[in-house]
Amino acid sequence: MHFLFGVLIFTFVALAGYFFLSAFTSFAETAIVIFALILAFLAEFTYMKMRADG
């Protein structure tokens, strides 16, 4: 179940980050994808850290 939550969080943050960055920045497409993936990794890391601490 935690794996499913992790995948959903990663997917949601990656897509939201991509659409947000593409709408409000003028970066190249590659940079937007990289930034969106970095945001998703940070969200996933935070979720795993909170799960381990809680």
Side-chain angles (χ1 to χ4, degrees), residues 1 3 6 11 17-18 25 28 30-31 44 51-52:
M1 193 62 154
F3 176 75
T11 304
Y18 172 78
T25 61
T30 304
E44 185 66 26
R51 189 174 71 102

Side-chain angles (χ1 to χ4, degrees), residues 8-18 36-41 43-44:
L8 289 175
I9 289 170
F10 185 86
T11 304
F12 178 75
V13 172
L15 288 173
Y18 172 78
L37 288 175
I38 289 170
L39 287 173
F41 279 119
E44 185 66 26

